[in-house]
Amino acid sequence: MEMFFKFLILWLLVSGAIIFLYARREIIANWHEPVLRRPVLIIESDDWGAGPASQAAVLGEIVRLLAGFSDCDGHPPVMTLGVVLATADGAMIRSSGGYQRQLISAQTHGPLLDAIRTGTDKGVFDAQLHGLEHFWPPALMAASESDASVRSWLDRAPDACTEELPSPLQSRWVDASVLPARTLNNADVRQAVKEEVAAFQAIFEHTPDVVVPPTFVWNAVVEQAWAVAGVDVIVTPGRRYETRDESGKPAGSGKTAHNAQAGENGIVYMVRDVYFEPSLGHTVAQAHAALALKVELGQPALFETHRFNFLGTDEKREQSLEQIKILLQGALIAWPSLAFLSTGKLAKILIDRDPEWVEQGLRRRLHVWIRRLRELPRLRKLAWLTGWIVPAGLVWKLTG
Ligand SMILES: [Zn+2]
């Protein structure tokens, strides 16, 4: 019997060491990621800004909808707006022969900027930088020479939506006019980042705290340039894609990202990996289940909800607004301590490990850490195979 226990302990030590060596990056990163003490829900909505004038009215409707709710501290729900500051100016390109942009301004997009300002003043909007354009202009121009659909899109710009462009071309930080995409020149990237941060500042009168890389394709050079320009936070889908592969899919994602994890030059990542796109059929029940899991994991729920849910037919818009209403109503009932705040504010709280929001006690941190590790399929499999599932489950139960 004694022999058996000695063998068991030895087995757990050896297999534990092997598991740790194999998955140490994720094991350590999950331990370091702050554990939230209360549920957090943020709606992250991209692609607003350049493009059709009809966006202004629906943003006004969203302001009225969100302002009707508040959390237990009296804060309204926040929809962060990933703003695109410019797009191609079709007529100017035709007459000049080269790329020309139309930057959003009080002249071109007065009502839209007013709606964003009103929402920001009421605390329901927070503008984040999505990009000067939702494409890399030289790549778009190159593609227009061989692709008739891009040429016809250019003819309809600046009113055409960038969502209609071939998906690889919607990536701003690679040249996807050929596939696999080509890396951009470093100096061009630095110049473009400088330009887009300055344009954001000119329109919104402050440096963007948060950026959302278009289609989540960007690399270390872009990241460094954003940090240098004063950006604090990058919204990620939990990893960094760096290019588009031969089939046009985002690729090159070696690196995973965790909330409040530091990237290049002290910039910090946030993770947006739950989705609520009513026009794609995502249901409120699924969103509530996603929120429930996030609460267990001590993580915020950053819901991705693009502007395309609110553009197009009246029916689609009404449906999306109604679904957001039901999502919020249900969430406030199911989680009375639910908190609403912006991604930028939340990032600061997590970086500072603010004890009011972030768990300091070892017991609950241990409990949540084990729960997080269970979400990693390979690690879970290894725990079952080696028997580590038993001690880990026991600690999880005892700390719960
Ligand atoms: Zn986008």
Side-chain angles (χ1 to χ4, degrees), residues 313-380:
T313 65
D314 288 351
E315 194 191 343
K316 185 166 108 177
R317 186 187 70 239
E318 293 304 326
Q319 185 76 15
S320 294
L321 291 169
E322 182 65 18
Q323 293 299 301
I324 286 186
K325 189 170 142 188
I326 303 170
L327 168 74
L328 294 172
Q329 278 170 341
L332 282 166
I333 293 168
W335 292 276
S337 63
L338 183 69
F340 297 135
L341 72 169
S342 69
T343 304
K345 262 193 200 148
L346 178 63
K348 283 198 183 79
I349 285 170
L350 296 184
I351 295 163
D352 296 344
R353 301 286 200 273
D354 182 341
E356 206 186 311
W357 291 79
V358 176
E359 187 62 56
Q360 312 285 321
L362 196 63
R363 191 187 167 106
R364 182 157 151 73
R365 286 187 62 205
L366 203 56
H367 183 73
V368 171
W369 179 57
I370 294 170
R371 181 67 190 82
R372 285 177 180 174
L373 296 183
R374 210 178 98 193
E375 286 300 295
L376 305 170
R378 280 195 200 153
L379 201 60
R380 195 172 56 223

Side-chain angles (χ1 to χ4, degrees), residues 298-316:
Q299 292 166 336
L302 272 60
F303 282 103
E304 184 167 288
T305 309
H306 287 86
R307 77 165 173 187
F308 64 69
N309 293 285
F310 308 97
L311 301 182
T313 65
D314 288 351
E315 194 191 343
K316 185 166 108 177

Side-chain angles (χ1 to χ4, degrees), residues 206-329:
H206 63 90
T207 309
D209 299 326
V210 182
V211 296
V212 186
T215 76
F216 290 129
V217 172
W218 81 101
N219 63 18
V221 179
V222 185
E223 207 166 299
Q224 281 158 11
W226 275 326
V228 168
V231 173
D232 299 322
V233 179
I234 302 180
V235 173
T236 76
R239 59 192 64 248
R240 185 169 81 190
Y241 296 105
E242 299 197 351
T243 188
R244 294 276 188 161
D245 66 15
E246 49 288 321
S247 62
K249 290 206 178 66
S253 60
K255 228 176 135 184
T256 57
H258 290 261
N259 288 302
Q261 182 188 320
E264 303 283 342
N265 295 25
I267 212 160
V268 158
Y269 300 133
M270 288 295 284
V271 178
R272 181 212 285 179
D273 61 355
V274 285
Y275 307 90
F276 189 60
E277 314 265 23
S279 70
L280 298 182
H282 299 171
T283 67
V284 169
Q286 287 167 336
H288 284 162
L291 176 55
L293 178 59
K294 286 293 181 190
V295 175
E296 271 187 53
L297 299 174
Q299 292 166 336
L302 272 60
F303 282 103
E304 184 167 288
T305 309
H306 287 86
R307 77 165 173 187
F308 64 69
N309 293 285
F310 308 97
L311 301 182
T313 65
D314 288 351
E315 194 191 343
K316 185 166 108 177
R317 186 187 70 239
E318 293 304 326
Q319 185 76 15
S320 294
L321 291 169
E322 182 65 18
Q323 293 299 301
I324 286 186
K325 189 170 142 188
I326 303 170
L327 168 74
L328 294 172
Q329 278 170 341

Side-chain angles (χ1 to χ4, degrees), residues 46-48 82 84 130 134 162-163 170 212-215 272 306:
D46 289 344
D47 303 339
W48 299 95
V84 179
H130 199 26
H134 207 301
T162 48
E163 291 91 321
Q170 294 180 36
V212 186
T215 76
R272 181 212 285 179
H306 287 86

Side-chain angles (χ1 to χ4, degrees), residues 64-83:
R64 285 189 289 280
L65 170 70
L66 298 180
F69 290 94
S70 60
D71 65 14
C72 57
D73 297 324
H75 297 128
V78 179
M79 180 186 264
T80 64
L81 302 178
V83 182

